[in-house]
Amino acid sequence: MSPRNTWGRRHQVTSLVTGGLLVLAACSGGSGSGTATCPAPRPASGDELARLPRGLDLTPVGTVTAVDVPQPGYLAVTVDAKGELPRLTAALSRALERAGYTIAGTEDGGVGADVFFTRGELTAGAAKLTPSECPGRATITVTLSGPGSSPAP
């Protein structure tokens, strides 16, 4: 894959992640009081977890709360995690590497963090880590595209 195509794939993934986060933000109803009630995260169902690519174990990072297929060839995973963003970024990077992904880069924006990764020439992914309304927790949205974004048959 040429560098231009790699950039294009990364741009597609980043755009998908950003769009998904905007939808999630628009749908979240806050109390407006600044203090959030912090219930325990609700784990994704077994059927949802079965959509994860074989070998991708995110339990060391946090609780997988949703696994969606927003369109064919894409997978969006939401994780509720405890800890500070630098530690969670490192834990997520290790989990992705154990699953056979190569970390293409990370960015720390101060308020949030991003992890970009690939597997081979056709699978790309991005993860957006954002602080939760609950102190000491973060929401991680992992988006994958390409043939490695679905479970092996």
Side-chain angles (χ1 to χ4, degrees):
M1 181 176 269
S2 73
R4 182 177 178 164
N5 288 342
T6 301
W7 181 87
R9 168 93 48 205
R10 185 179 296 171
H11 180 70
Q12 274 183 321
V13 171
T14 303
S15 295
L16 181 65
V17 171
T18 302
L21 291 175
L22 290 175
V23 169
L24 289 174
C27 293
S28 67
S31 65
S33 67
T35 41
T37 315
C38 299
R42 184 173 170 203
S45 70
D47 289 341
E48 286 181 281
L49 293 173
R51 296 179 188 151
L52 288 173
R54 186 164 287 146
L56 181 57
D57 179 13
L58 296 172
T59 55
V61 182
T63 302
V64 175
T65 58
V67 182
D68 298 307
V69 179
Q71 65 185 38
Y74 288 86
L75 187 72
V77 183
T78 306
V79 179
D80 184 304
K82 290 182 184 178
E84 299 300 317
L85 292 182
R87 184 190 70 74
L88 293 173
T89 301
L92 177 62
S93 295
R94 285 190 300 273
L96 291 165
E97 288 174 334
R98 278 193 300 272
Y101 295 94
T102 300
I103 304 302
T106 60
E107 294 179 9
D108 181 359
V111 176
D114 297 287
V115 177
F116 302 97
F117 53 96
T118 61
R119 182 188 287 168
E121 292 186 3
L122 301 176
T123 302
K128 181 77 174 169
L129 295 84
T130 54
S132 168
E133 290 182 7
C134 298
R137 283 171 53 181
T139 300
I140 303 171
T141 304
V142 180
T143 306
L144 298 114
S145 68
S149 63
S150 58

